[in-house]
Amino acid sequence: MPTVSMTVNGQAVSGEVEDRTLLVQFLRENLRLTGTHVGCDTSQCGACVVHVNGDSMKSCSMLALQAEGAEVTTIEGLASNGELNPMQQAFMDNHGLQCGFCTPGMVMSAMDLVAKNPNPDEATIRENLEGNLCRCTGYHNIVKAVQQAAKTMGG
Amino acid sequence: MYNFNYQRASSLDDAVAKLGAASDGTLLAGGQTLIPTLKQRLASHSDVIDLSGIGDLRGISADGGGVTVGALTRHAEVAASADVPAALAALADGIGDPQVRNCGTLGGSIANADPAADYPAAVLGLGATVNTNLRSIAADDFFTGLFETALNDGEIITSVTFPTPQKAGYAKFPNPASRYAMVGVFAAQMGDGVRVAVTGAGPCVFRVAEMESALAGNWSADAVAGISVSADGLNSDLHGSAEYRAHLVTVMAKRAVAAAG
Ligand SMILES: Cc1cc2nc3c(=O)[nH]c(=O)nc-3n(C[C@H](O)[C@H](O)[C@H](O)COP(=O)(O)OP(=O)(O)OC[C@H]3O[C@@H](n4cnc5c(N)ncnc54)[C@H](O)[C@@H]3O)c2cc1C
Ligand code: FES
Ligand code: FES
């Protein structure tokens, strides 16, 4: 079996995978980083979103081998020294989650949005979360959370 | 997903050689169509040859009368580019969602030729040229049917050259779930005439000659308001009937011309 190597949340990792192993399987099953979720098999729900070389991508729609040599950030990589990152904190403050299944993907997509657009208005936030489905919240508090985080993060 | 051999091509020649050597190989660009298709076991291949390491196939360069976009250029890069016509950037910005746009590529989209894909409307609407490792193909000859193109087995798209329009606009009615075009219309005023290309409505992107001649005489939304296409042969599925799509063609054509200004 081929070996794949990449940097995940700042740490060099490698592991044996099948050619067909998806990035999300490598993260969850080899690395036991189970914060990244799988919510569909049609590439539509966004529960699996991680950052690959700084851009948000669906880790269910990418082979582990495609990420050879890449810098990957998952939801586990956001908090530091036990402190939630401002986006995570904003989801908590605004009740931006209920069951929490979609939340890792929502947070990773929102982090990419705020990095590229530090001061997004409501319409921009809604458009940019197009690839993330939530079955619980009705999105309203998610949008509020992203607005708060954008402010705290210096937008 | 059935297993396969994953191979990374180091150059265009290497990709051609690897594809030639494989018993049933396929190319991987952004993976946003291929990986979901493999996952669903709608396809299986002996070898999957990843083009993403071929730097020459990525990037946007403006030249003389137009702009050339490398096959591996991602939708997000086209959306953010000041060098491509504004209507093309706006079209790319409306494909799927941000994560799809961060992976999906121009070459992958037009090679796949999904009847509801956005890019085919711009390629045909601007009268672009599709460049491959073997030849250059005019847009009018490229899209040949449902998921069918003029590409031969083993032929690789390297770039697409878009001539600069005097005016151009794109309007789509997105499927609310997938964002693919229920109907999308690209209207462009080119140096040598008007072009109107429709995606999503039929099995394959097509032009509407009657709208083109009306717009050539009078570039305004009103000029196309009274022109409708026949519903015969248009797509009919759970998202909408052929008659509904035929109606949308006129509505989107008006919006595309209005967007072009
Ligand atoms: C959730 C979701 C929503 C989407 N919404 C839209 C939408 O609204 N509008 C839209 O237009 N598209 C949409 N797409 C499709 C998306 O745009 C894909 O990126 C595109 O169809 C394929 O591009 P790719 O680079 O991902 O190609 P891949 O999936 O890697 O490849 C697709 C096919 O093209 C072939 N191929 C790839 N590159 C080349 C090349 N250079 N030369 C020859 N053959 C090649 C491959 O062998 C394969 O058969 C969506 C996809 C998803 C998952
Ligand atoms: S698991 Fe649903 S998009 Fe990746
Ligand atoms: S909080 Fe339950 S799916 Fe979003």
Side-chain angles (χ1 to χ4, degrees):
Chain A
M1 286 208 292
T3 302
V4 69
S5 305
M6 64 188 86
T7 305
V8 177
N9 301 331
Q11 290 196 342
V13 296
S14 61
E16 279 196 354
V17 292
E18 285 189 283
D19 295 51
R20 63 178 165 179
T21 301
L22 298 169
L23 178 59
V24 69
Q25 290 174 298
F26 177 69
L27 294 171
R28 289 180 56 87
E29 292 165 24
N30 292 52
L31 304 182
R32 295 280 162 203
L33 293 173
T34 53
T36 302
H37 293 165
V38 176
C40 73
D41 58 6
T42 52
S43 307
Q44 280 174 316
C45 76
C48 62
V49 171
V50 300
H51 295 186
V52 179
N53 296 327
D55 290 318
S56 57
M57 295 183 183
K58 293 173 182 169
S59 61
C60 73
S61 302
M62 190 172 174
L63 303 173
L65 287 169
Q66 283 178 276
E68 171 69 35
E71 298 264 351
V72 176
T73 307
T74 70
I75 189 75
E76 289 90 346
L78 295 191
S80 58
N81 303 325
E83 289 263 324
L84 292 182
N85 145 303
M87 187 65 74
Q88 294 171 302
Q89 186 65 48
F91 269 69
M92 200 166 130
D93 294 348
N94 291 281
H95 201 57
L97 64 152
Q98 290 179 24
C99 80
F101 194 83
C102 70
T103 314
M106 282 287 177
V107 168
M108 297 312 286
S109 292
M111 287 293 292
D112 190 19
L113 160 63
V114 171
K116 287 170 187 162
N117 187 340
N119 196 6
D121 59 16
E122 184 189 332
T124 309
I125 294 170
R126 287 184 184 275
E127 264 168 37
N128 276 271
L129 295 178
E130 182 66 55
N132 295 82
L133 300 182
C134 176
R135 299 299 297 268
C136 305
T137 64
Y139 302 97
H140 189 71
N141 290 341
I142 291 177
V143 175
K144 279 199 337 209
V146 178
Q147 275 168 327
Q148 177 190 313
K151 279 204 195 85
T152 342
M153 291 166 83
Chain B
M1 182 162 28
Y2 296 107
N3 210 3
F4 46 76
N5 291 315
Y6 170 87
Q7 307 193 51
R8 211 175 249 263
S10 57
S11 66
L12 192 56
D13 289 345
D14 186 40
V16 172
K18 287 193 157 87
L19 198 55
S23 61
D24 176 19
T26 192
L27 301 170
L28 172 65
Q32 298 303 289
T33 292
L34 183 63
I35 304 280
T37 310
L38 292 171
K39 279 169 68 177
Q40 306 272 1
R41 295 192 170 180
L42 294 172
S44 72
H45 291 280
S46 64
D47 294 75
V48 168
I49 296 148
D50 187 353
L51 300 174
S52 65
I54 312 176
D56 303 350
L57 297 189
R58 193 163 165 192
I60 298 171
S61 59
D63 43 44
V67 57
T68 297
V69 180
L72 281 182
T73 311
R74 294 170 180 174
H75 308 332
E77 293 165 335
V78 174
S81 171
D83 290 325
V84 304
L88 183 59
L91 174 147
D93 199 39
I95 297 177
D97 56 56
Q99 290 70 41
V100 168
R101 296 196 289 273
N102 283 338
C103 294
T105 68
L106 170 60
S109 176
I110 64 171
N112 190 54
D114 190 300
D118 292 292
Y119 267 130
V123 170
L124 188 64
L126 289 168
T129 304
V130 180
N131 306 305
T132 77
N133 59 321
L134 301 175
R135 56 190 168 139
S136 291
I137 308 169
D140 285 303
D141 303 324
F142 184 79
F143 299 101
T144 54
L146 184 70
F147 294 108
E148 292 285 336
T149 67
L151 292 173
N152 293 323
D153 269 357
E155 191 169 2
I156 302 179
I157 301 172
T158 53
S159 66
V160 177
T161 302
F162 296 93
T164 306
Q166 285 152 0
K167 286 181 176 180
Y170 179 64
K172 81 162 156 174
F173 190 91
N175 176 309
S178 73
R179 317 314 286 178
Y180 274 100
M182 290 279 298
V183 167
V185 176
F186 200 100
Q189 208 177 68
M190 309 302 296
D192 56 358
V194 170
R195 298 174 72 96
V196 175
V198 178
T199 190
C204 173
V205 63
F206 62 88
R207 290 172 64 183
V208 186
E210 207 185 328
M211 288 186 177
E212 293 179 351
S213 44
L215 287 169
N218 169 16
W219 180 266
S220 74
D222 286 347
V224 290
I227 303 175
S228 51
V229 299
S230 157
D232 285 351
L234 295 192
N235 302 333
S236 192
D237 55 26
L238 77 167
H239 305 298
S241 63
E243 290 73 21
Y244 180 63
R245 282 190 166 84
H247 175 74
L248 278 180
V249 171
T250 306
V251 178
M252 292 303 119
K254 281 164 60 184
R255 290 189 192 168
V257 174

